[in-house]
Amino acid sequence: AAATLASEGLAVPVLVDRGGIGSVPAGVEVVRPASDPRRARFAEELLALRANKGMTAEEAAKRVLEPNVFGAFLVRSGDCAGAVSG
């Protein structure tokens, strides 16, 4: 699906890597949460959102590495219009 969207010029698909993405089609961006520079900012924001529920900074740092959580923050930040983990 990502390759089709990219090849038809409909979108620049962004895939959040779970650790198993093989070859990536042209025009598709892959985001790796563990090495992404936005990781710390997203963890701080997650902590701010969930601190009243008892989340710690360490938990937020760990949770933001989860592809679905990271993808949600890509959308929340406006860096992506939608996210799918792959």
Side-chain angles (χ1 to χ4, degrees):
T4 300
L5 288 170
S7 69
E8 293 182 8
L10 299 172
V12 177
V14 178
L15 303 178
V16 181
D17 189 10
R18 291 179 183 260
I21 291 182
S23 62
V24 179
V28 176
E29 180 183 346
V30 175
V31 174
R32 293 177 173 83
S35 61
D36 194 282
R38 297 169 285 203
R39 182 185 76 224
R41 185 179 80 222
F42 291 171
E44 289 174 10
E45 190 172 344
L46 178 59
L47 178 60
L49 291 168
R50 303 295 296 173
N52 64 336
K53 300 283 186 182
M55 181 171 277
T56 66
E58 294 78 22
E59 289 172 311
K62 184 176 178 180
R63 290 286 314 275
V64 81
L65 293 174
E66 296 173 12
N68 290 339
V69 174
F70 198 86
F73 276 95
L74 287 172
V75 173
R76 182 180 173 88
S77 69
D79 290 345
C80 292
V84 176
S85 58

